[in-house]
Amino acid sequence: RVNDKGSGEYTVQIGAFTSRENAENLLRALGLEGYSGAYISEAVVSGKSFYRVRAGDFSSRDKAKSLAQNLAYEGYDAALLRK
């Protein structure tokens, strides 16, 4: 599934891929670890498609930061982003 979630101001990006398959593999792995709110957001940059794996839709920076820290603790390269 590829979509953009909600209208919160913050999200956490866990990965960005040019291969949709790689993004879907990460999404499945996150689901197996209990991060069921993760999703794929597609973006075109300089004519090239990127599939960004993100989790959460937060109005609170602190909640987004907490998720990013939990993901980092699990070994993911998570980045807090302002939408």
Side-chain angles (χ1 to χ4, degrees), residues 3-62:
N3 64 5
D4 288 307
K5 295 279 238 178
S7 61
E9 193 172 346
Y10 299 95
T11 190
V12 177
Q13 184 165 301
I14 305 131
F17 305 91
T18 56
S19 163
R20 181 177 175 150
E21 182 179 353
N22 288 343
E24 289 173 353
N25 288 339
L26 176 56
L27 189 64
R28 271 191 294 283
L30 289 166
L32 291 174
E33 292 187 27
Y35 295 103
S36 60
Y39 61 96
I40 297 172
S41 174
E42 184 178 358
V44 178
V45 179
S46 299
K48 190 170 199 171
S49 290
F50 286 87
Y51 302 93
R52 299 168 174 168
V53 179
R54 295 181 170 179
D57 178 34
F58 302 97
S59 56
S60 163
R61 185 180 190 282
D62 289 339

